[in-house]
Amino acid sequence: MKAITITDWINRFLHLRTIVLFIFVHCVFFAAKAQSPDYYGISEIKGLFEAHEHKAPKYKSESNKPKNEFEFLTASSFNVYKAFLSSQDNPSCVFHPSCSEYSVQALQQKGLFLGTLYTFDRLSRCHRFIKNDQYIFDPSKQRYYDPVR
Amino acid sequence: MKPKAIFTIIFSFFALLCTSQTIEETYRFAEEQFQKGNYQSALTEFQRVAFFDSEHQFGNIYRKIGDLFYASGDYNSAAKNFDIASRIETSDSIKTEILLKKVLCFFAQENYYFALSELLSITSFQNSRLANKTGLYTGIAFFGIEDYNQALASLSPIFPQEALPELEQIFSRFEKMRKRYRPGKIEMMSILLPGLGQIYCGNLASGINSMVLVGGIAVVAVWTWHTYGLLDALLSVSPWYYRYYTGGVQNARGAALERISHEREEAYQKIIELVETNLIQRP
């Protein structure tokens, strides 16, 4: 059996010290990593005060089919009206969706004949003397809710 | 008849062996569900534990329920449970942490006055990190109610001296921008010349649109006046002129408010970056 010399002991000690040091460094690293992430709840407070940009609504087709001439004309009129006229107007429509959006939805859902009738009906109802109890008031939009039914 | 009676008696004894799930088992099950990420199931189980825990064995149960409601986006219920948790908590530092979570619920709802009311009720701090966190949240709440001087005053103590000039610079730049894009001033610009306010706010397309539209209507009014007379011009064109002229003024006001909200977002992001550099990297 080989005798253990002092040099062996020193070597063993140094080896042990390296292991202990290695473990200690890792523990400190993981402890720091565990503490640092979100003590202040940064992920929760980061998204506050996001600015909301107002953009004029655009025509959205209900089907994947290519637009026919009538749809193209209606869509273009709607987009031009929303971008250049409605955007400069006072918010005068009392309903949500607005009369132009309602008209597009009515034409999409009911077809040309009924859609046109629906549009005229809506335009005749859109004024400041509407009966409050006939519509639901949407507080977020500050308008009366009147979808195409 | 006899075998039936014997079976009934034997099976009646089986009932003695049946036991319901204990509250500890329910709690463990809820914890398991929480670890697995089944938050809805965990929430139901934790609520059951809270209901049957008459001896208050599980002191942190309301905090857990609050956390689960918060994760699911039900901030009202989360705030309510954090409130209960803070009332029954005995440790002051944990109580403050819970109240700060409640504040986060109000932040998520953009209810900065409620958040501020909660934050101002915290008067004692157990350590500097907790004091910093409370200061940060108070600053944010003041920022939310647009009291920027108080926001700066609340945020200043949490930053080291060398970061203060940068913080003050963020606030002074934002204040400058708020003065530059003051809605009243922008409105006045659009009253004097339609579209000018929008152009000043950087919304060039909208400004030109307003200028062309109102200018076009004015041209039509003058043409009608010359062709048909003043009364015809007033009756036929003035409603349109009024509509798009005042609409343009309102539009300018909206552009100013939008611009300020962008500046506000930018200022806030810079504050958060400053917090990340000075408080998180050097706690």
Side-chain angles (χ1 to χ4, degrees):
Chain A
M1 193 180 164
K2 196 188 166 187
I4 300 168
T5 61
I6 294 170
T7 329
D8 285 339
W9 277 110
I10 291 169
N11 281 338
R12 279 186 191 181
F13 174 71
L14 284 175
H15 184 64
L16 192 71
R17 205 176 63 172
T18 316
I19 293 168
V20 169
L21 196 67
F22 180 78
I23 293 167
F24 176 74
V25 168
H26 273 76
C27 286
V28 167
F29 175 74
F30 282 115
K33 209 176 165 191
Q35 280 236 337
S36 68
D38 224 4
Y39 176 76
Y40 290 98
I42 294 294
S43 61
E44 311 290 340
I45 57 175
K46 224 173 193 171
L48 300 173
F49 308 111
E50 266 182 21
H52 300 289
E53 214 166 300
H54 175 75
K55 280 184 180 168
K58 277 194 167 180
Y59 174 82
K60 277 182 206 152
S61 181
E62 279 201 330
S63 67
N64 295 327
K65 287 179 193 168
K67 286 176 194 165
N68 59 33
E69 289 77 5
F70 178 70
E71 191 180 2
F72 176 76
L73 198 70
T74 322
S76 307
S77 314
F78 176 76
N79 288 343
V80 167
Y81 170 73
K82 276 289 178 191
F84 298 108
L85 295 173
S86 177
S87 67
Q88 300 300 327
D89 200 357
N90 279 313
S92 50
C93 185
V94 294
F95 291 119
H96 165 70
S98 70
C99 291
S100 55
E101 287 166 41
Y102 181 93
S103 172
V104 168
Q105 286 172 14
L107 288 168
Q108 280 176 334
Q109 290 172 26
K110 308 285 176 185
L112 180 60
F113 181 68
L114 274 179
T116 312
L117 288 181
Y118 270 67
T119 304
F120 280 118
D121 170 60
R122 167 58 104 77
L123 288 170
S124 68
R125 285 186 288 118
C126 183
H127 51 75
R128 293 283 157 188
F129 304 106
I130 59 161
K131 286 177 183 166
N132 298 354
D133 54 342
Q134 287 181 355
Y135 303 97
I136 301 162
F137 188 73
D138 182 350
S140 66
K141 303 271 182 191
Q142 291 289 306
R143 300 274 185 283
Y144 290 98
Y145 182 58
D146 179 43
V148 180
R149 290 174 219 272
Chain B
M1 186 65 200
K2 210 174 179 184
K4 268 188 188 173
I6 291 165
F7 273 120
T8 311
I9 291 162
I10 289 169
F11 280 107
S12 301
F13 280 112
F14 275 119
L16 293 173
L17 301 172
C18 299
T19 51
S20 62
Q21 197 179 31
T22 62
I23 197 162
E24 288 83 6
E25 283 168 340
T26 313
Y27 185 80
R28 273 200 299 278
F29 177 68
E31 284 279 13
E32 270 173 35
Q33 294 302 307
F34 184 72
Q35 298 297 336
K36 284 178 188 168
N38 301 332
Y39 296 132
Q40 196 50 50
S41 166
L43 181 61
T44 314
E45 296 306 322
F46 277 132
Q47 281 176 314
R48 186 172 291 160
V49 173
F51 185 77
F52 288 108
D53 184 20
S54 52
E55 291 166 13
H56 305 295
Q57 291 178 64
F58 305 101
N60 61 349
I61 195 81
Y62 286 101
R63 190 179 176 177
K64 281 179 184 288
I65 293 171
D67 282 334
L68 284 164
F69 273 124
Y70 187 87
S72 65
D74 185 351
Y75 301 115
N76 269 333
S77 304
K80 198 173 138 192
N81 279 283
F82 285 137
D83 188 56
I84 300 169
S86 72
R87 281 168 203 275
I88 59 176
E89 182 58 56
T90 48
S91 158
D92 283 345
S93 58
I94 298 173
K95 195 176 205 164
T96 311
E97 286 282 6
I98 294 168
L99 283 176
L100 291 175
K101 285 204 159 195
K102 190 179 168 190
V103 167
L104 282 179
C105 297
F106 294 136
F107 280 172
Q109 293 174 311
E110 298 183 8
N111 197 344
Y112 297 105
Y113 280 104
F114 273 32
L116 198 58
S117 147
E118 210 61 60
L119 284 159
L120 295 176
S121 72
I122 305 170
T123 45
S124 62
F125 306 106
Q126 291 68 41
N127 56 57
S128 63
R129 287 188 88 181
L130 212 50
N132 283 349
K133 197 173 176 180
T134 311
L136 173 66
Y137 285 12
T138 310
I140 292 170
F142 276 121
F143 199 86
I145 62 165
E146 299 182 15
D147 188 344
Y148 301 108
N149 291 331
Q150 281 294 331
L152 179 61
S154 305
L155 288 170
S156 295
I158 70 171
F159 285 102
Q161 280 297 321
E162 63 267 24
L164 286 182
E166 201 179 334
L167 181 72
E168 280 161 13
Q169 199 188 343
I170 293 169
F171 273 91
S172 67
R173 188 189 169 277
F174 178 52
E175 191 56 37
K176 215 166 125 184
M177 289 295 164
R178 278 181 64 221
K179 279 185 186 159
R180 183 180 289 176
Y181 299 111
R182 203 160 34 84
K185 178 177 143 187
I186 303 295
E187 261 182 1
M188 186 50 73
M189 288 171 91
S190 275
I191 288 170
L192 295 174
L193 180 66
L196 188 63
Q198 290 98 310
I199 293 171
Y200 186 77
C201 288
N203 205 340
L204 191 68
S206 175
I208 292 171
N209 187 6
S210 177
M211 223 174 250
V212 170
L213 197 63
V214 178
I217 295 171
V219 168
V220 172
V222 172
W223 179 79
T224 316
W225 180 10
H226 279 283
T227 317
Y228 301 102
L230 183 61
L231 188 66
D232 291 281
L234 280 173
L235 289 175
S236 59
V237 190
S238 66
W240 293 98
Y241 187 82
Y242 169 78
R243 187 171 171 166
Y244 288 104
Y245 180 74
T246 51
V249 171
Q250 281 213 11
N251 201 344
R253 186 186 170 79
L257 291 172
E258 214 164 80
R259 184 67 200 239
I260 290 174
S261 78
H262 275 290
E263 295 294 339
R264 190 179 185 216
E265 183 187 356
E266 201 181 305
Y268 181 71
Q269 277 174 359
K270 281 183 184 165
I271 294 168
I272 294 296
E273 276 167 27
L274 209 61
V275 169
E276 284 177 319
T277 330
N278 289 283
L279 296 184
I280 294 170
Q281 289 172 16
R282 287 187 295 173

